[in-house]
Amino acid sequence: MAKINVVFVEDPKLPRAALKQRLFAEELFNVEEAASVKEAFSKARAMPVDVILLDNLLPDDGGFNVCEKLMNSLTKTRVIVLSAQNDFHAVQEALAEGCVGFLPYNSSFREIKNAIITVYQGGHYLHPSAATELAKGLQDKKKRMEQVSLTDEELQVLRLIADGLSYSEIANQVYISERTVRRRVQSIFDKLGVNSQAHAVAEAMRREFLE
């Protein structure tokens, strides 16, 4: 196998000396360091980069959205994220943003090495704990979707929201207080797993509560 060009992007305030030593010593890898996303771009312009090992809590541009920025600009580069978070939402967001590998901070060097090789060869790599969180989260989400039911009063409010009425207009039309409208809307949000009226309407249409 040809050597894999790797850029390790990490917050300089959180040095991982042992990990860097193992990365630099690994014969399969050519490793460069970067302390920011800006520096990673600079490295990528100076040399072909196969894999970026990315800390998702960088001082200049943290968050999983960095994956999308990198992959949009470096189309032949694969991104593995090293994350302090390892829950369902973190894994789901990282994958949605284009990362092809997900590793928690406490991953062993063997796991990191396997991840780099796997994504270099065109695959995806999830740390076992991340894969477990993703599977559990998707199963829980499916159960919640199957169990959702809205009351007649909630459906009435939801239809009026879809028609573009304000809370006060809904209150006047169905002869309830605006406070009651807000309480019903919050119940709708909770049941549908959304946090805005637009998302509530879209999710209700997807579930065929609305036509």
Side-chain angles (χ1 to χ4, degrees):
M1 180 188 294
K3 282 201 170 187
I4 303 171
N5 293 325
V6 179
V7 173
F8 181 27
V9 191
E10 69 160 350
D11 184 346
K13 295 178 182 177
L14 299 170
R16 299 179 180 86
L19 172 56
K20 285 192 286 190
Q21 186 177 11
R22 296 289 300 276
L23 284 170
F24 279 105
E26 175 53 54
E27 293 183 354
L28 280 174
F29 305 151
N30 287 319
V31 181
E32 294 283 342
E33 293 180 79
S36 66
V37 173
K38 183 178 180 180
E39 188 178 352
F41 277 121
S42 178
K43 299 276 187 183
R45 284 191 289 267
M47 60 176 275
V49 177
D50 299 309
V51 178
I52 291 178
L53 187 59
L54 175 73
D55 186 335
N56 80 308
L57 295 177
L58 293 168
D60 66 331
D61 201 354
F64 297 113
N65 64 311
V66 178
C67 295
E68 184 177 24
K69 293 178 182 178
L70 288 167
M71 295 189 72
N72 284 343
S73 300
L74 309 173
T75 56
K76 294 183 179 180
T77 302
R78 314 274 282 171
V79 180
I80 300 169
V81 67
L82 274 173
S83 178
Q85 303 160 294
N86 192 37
D87 56 79
F88 166 65
H89 296 292
V91 180
Q92 185 182 48
E93 183 181 355
L95 296 178
E97 293 292 347
C99 298
V100 295
F102 188 100
L103 297 164
Y105 274 174
N106 63 353
S107 299
S108 68
F109 178 73
R110 174 177 290 184
E111 288 163 339
I112 293 171
K113 178 180 176 180
N114 287 341
I116 292 172
I117 294 171
T118 298
V119 303
Y120 171 71
Q121 293 175 335
H124 289 66
Y125 188 95
L126 291 181
H127 186 277
S129 63
T132 297
E133 287 295 322
L134 183 64
K136 286 171 55 181
L138 291 173
Q139 288 169 350
D140 291 345
K141 185 176 181 179
K142 185 175 186 294
K143 289 178 182 177
R144 289 196 302 270
M145 288 176 64
E146 291 172 347
Q147 295 169 356
V148 166
S149 63
L150 299 178
T151 66
D152 290 340
E153 292 81 5
E154 289 166 349
L155 285 171
Q156 182 184 40
V157 168
L158 188 56
R159 292 189 186 101
L160 295 173
I161 288 174
D163 289 339
L165 274 66
S166 67
Y167 288 169
S168 60
E169 289 170 334
I170 294 172
N172 291 333
Q173 183 156 331
V174 299
Y175 305 107
I176 57 177
S177 69
E178 188 172 337
R179 182 178 180 181
T180 299
V181 174
R182 292 182 180 278
R183 188 168 62 247
R184 288 180 184 175
V185 170
Q186 187 58 56
S187 177
I188 293 167
F189 284 4
D190 292 342
K191 288 181 178 181
L192 297 182
V194 299
N195 55 17
S196 73
Q197 293 181 29
H199 287 156
V201 172
E203 182 66 12
M205 293 181 69
R206 191 180 72 80
R207 293 173 182 268
E208 299 183 352
F209 288 129
L210 297 175
E211 297 180 355

